[in-house]
Amino acid sequence: MMDEPALAAEEDSIRSNLTKQEMFVRQFANRFLTYEGIGVLLLDSEFRIVEVSEMVCSLFGCKRTDIIDQSAEKWFDSLSLHPKPFGRSLLEGDTFRNRVMNWKLDKHNHKLMLDGEVLQDKGAIKGAFVLFRDVSHLLTLEEQIRRSDRLKTIGQIAAGTAHEIRNPLTAIKGFMQLLNKSLADRSMEKEQEFVGIVLSELERVNDLVSEFLLLSKPKEIRLVSMRVGLVLQEILPMIRNEALLHNVTVLYYPKPELAPILADKEQLKQVFLNLGKNAIEAMDGGGTLIIRDYHDPYETDKIAVEISDTGSGIDAEALEKVFDPFFTTKPQGTGLGLSVCQRIVHDLGGSIEVSSDEGGTRFIVKLPCASGTDD
Ligand SMILES: Nc1ncnc2c1ncn2[C@@H]1O[C@H](COP(=O)(O)OP(=O)(O)OP(=O)(O)O)[C@@H](O)[C@H]1O
Ligand SMILES: [Mg+2]
């Protein structure tokens, strides 16, 4: 091992022998190894790791010094990577572009895109390098666009159908009320009871159609500056009531210092109520519902509201469909709750995300801050 002054002297001698351009390329290479946007792995002709950048180390949760000089195969084994993202055939010229790889670290699912290229000297392959890009964010965006397209089509069909259902419904309701009155005049109590049931069932259909209409065309929204905490405080009694019936503990930590958001209060209430209701329904036999609101550390112009439960969780296949209209796993569910939430949040210029495992489910709603206003 060389001591520090010896190392510095060697660095100086290398520098003095380099041309300006070589120096520049060297600086670029050094910077590239600490750059967090793209990861790089350098391999020698024996498939051993020669150098690895900081991004790769933090992505895979390993220490640079532990993997340098190790064979790439061994490294894959230590990470339990099956199938391996690439093999020795890379050194035989089997290069690749945009190879997709899934990787999970600390409960975070990453989608990575890999490029593999060889390093040649006079036609002979001397080694290879692999570039890693984390495209998880891009794919979420793509998924959101796909979902909102699907919602739009369903919305167009829904708009027509819902009106067609509502008109006869109003007529049936009117006549039933008349019937009820004439039954009352004749003291036909048993029949009146039947009509009462028909009327309350009609009310249910009406509610469903209203929800359907909300999906199909955005109601006129009134954007007002408000504190999200106050909206949460207003619906908490309802959530606590429901939770009590299901043996669920509700935890909410108010954050009065948060910046105000721009939203429509009634619609926002509906979002949080739907999410709260789902969470409680997922905790059959009890659990904990946690509600938190905070400044989003990534999108600083947004306030995030997190609703997490210790319920049954959602499996990977269902997770892709939870926002689809009519997707439900409940015997009495309509499957419209989350699609309505998504529609509202989108209309408010926000976003909604979900993650889930055996320990429970977490929904995060992000809403734009009201800029330029203090209240
Ligand atoms: N917190 C959660 N934990 C587990 N599963 C959930 C959770 N939230 C939603 N789901 C799943 O997503 C599905 C769709 O939810 P959504 O709210 O859209 O409809 P629903 O709850 O089934 O019906 P509705 O809301 O009309 O009563 C649910 O049936 C359930 O399978
Ligand atoms: Mg629901």
Side-chain angles (χ1 to χ4, degrees), residues 274 277-278 281 330 337-338:
N274 272 337
K277 182 169 154 270
N278 278 349
E281 283 167 354
K330 300 170 193 168
L338 285 179

Side-chain angles (χ1 to χ4, degrees), residues 35-259:
Y35 179 60
E36 58 286 345
I38 297 179
V40 56
L41 187 73
L42 280 179
L43 298 158
D44 67 9
S45 56
E46 304 287 314
F47 209 46
R48 266 197 310 260
I49 300 170
V50 179
E51 191 52 273
V52 58
S53 73
E54 283 179 14
M55 184 265 200
V56 175
C57 293
S58 67
L59 186 65
F60 290 95
C62 46
K63 259 174 74 185
R64 175 179 171 272
T65 44
D66 290 346
I67 56 173
I68 295 275
D69 274 343
Q70 202 181 78
S71 101
E73 269 140 353
K74 252 205 177 142
W75 182 52
F76 295 155
D77 284 342
S78 71
L79 295 171
S80 307
L81 281 181
H82 304 292
K84 295 185 171 45
F86 53 90
R88 274 176 191 264
S89 60
L90 173 60
L91 291 167
E92 285 146 27
D94 187 11
T95 59
F96 49 87
R97 287 259 185 290
N98 298 333
R99 180 172 288 179
V100 175
M101 173 184 173
N102 293 310
W103 167 247
K104 191 171 176 179
L105 182 74
D106 300 336
K107 297 194 176 170
H108 281 287
N109 286 314
H110 295 274
K111 265 253 176 331
L112 309 175
M113 285 249 222
L114 273 55
D115 287 358
E117 194 48 69
V118 290
L119 293 169
Q120 290 178 326
D121 190 15
K122 299 192 184 86
I125 294 179
K126 295 287 179 198
F129 64 93
V130 179
L131 300 180
F132 294 77
R133 271 163 298 145
D134 191 342
V135 292
S136 320
H137 264 85
L138 274 182
L139 290 182
T140 323
L141 197 68
E142 206 172 273
E143 171 67 9
Q144 282 189 358
I145 292 170
R146 200 168 57 80
R147 269 192 216 141
S148 82
D149 266 1
R150 203 161 40 198
L151 266 184
K152 218 161 126 192
T153 320
I154 299 229
Q156 282 157 355
I157 303 170
T161 322
H163 274 291
E164 289 310 305
I165 297 174
R166 214 174 219 186
N167 292 341
L169 217 55
T170 315
I172 296 172
K173 201 170 151 192
F175 284 116
M176 277 293 153
Q177 278 162 343
L178 278 180
L179 186 60
N180 207 15
K181 196 167 171 296
S182 61
L183 290 175
D185 291 346
R186 289 174 212 177
S187 308
M188 296 171 79
E189 277 154 26
K190 192 91 200 135
E191 285 77 1
Q192 246 192 304
E193 196 185 312
F194 295 152
V195 172
I197 295 172
V198 174
L199 278 170
S200 74
E201 290 298 297
L202 276 178
E203 209 46 57
R204 261 177 33 141
V205 180
N206 210 19
D207 283 350
L208 185 66
V209 175
S210 308
E211 213 166 330
F212 208 42
L213 268 175
L214 184 64
L215 239 193
S216 59
K217 69 172 186 311
K219 267 208 310 214
E220 208 173 297
I221 45 174
R222 256 173 37 84
L223 293 182
V224 181
S225 166
M226 67 187 76
R227 307 244 173 217
V228 80
L230 292 183
V231 183
L232 289 171
Q233 299 275 17
E234 279 187 34
I235 58 151
L236 264 175
M238 272 183 271
I239 292 190
R240 283 198 205 280
N241 246 343
E242 188 74 13
L244 209 60
L245 293 174
H246 292 82
N247 200 20
V248 167
T249 313
V250 181
L251 299 179
Y252 171 56
Y253 307 100
K255 282 257 194 67
E257 72 280 10
L258 281 184

Side-chain angles (χ1 to χ4, degrees), residues 277-279 281-282 309 312-314 322 327-330 333-339 361 363:
K277 182 169 154 270
N278 278 349
E281 283 167 354
D309 62 62
S312 50
I314 309 172
V322 287
F327 173 78
T328 181
T329 53
K330 300 170 193 168
T334 63
L336 287 176
L338 285 179
S339 20
T361 305
F363 280 88

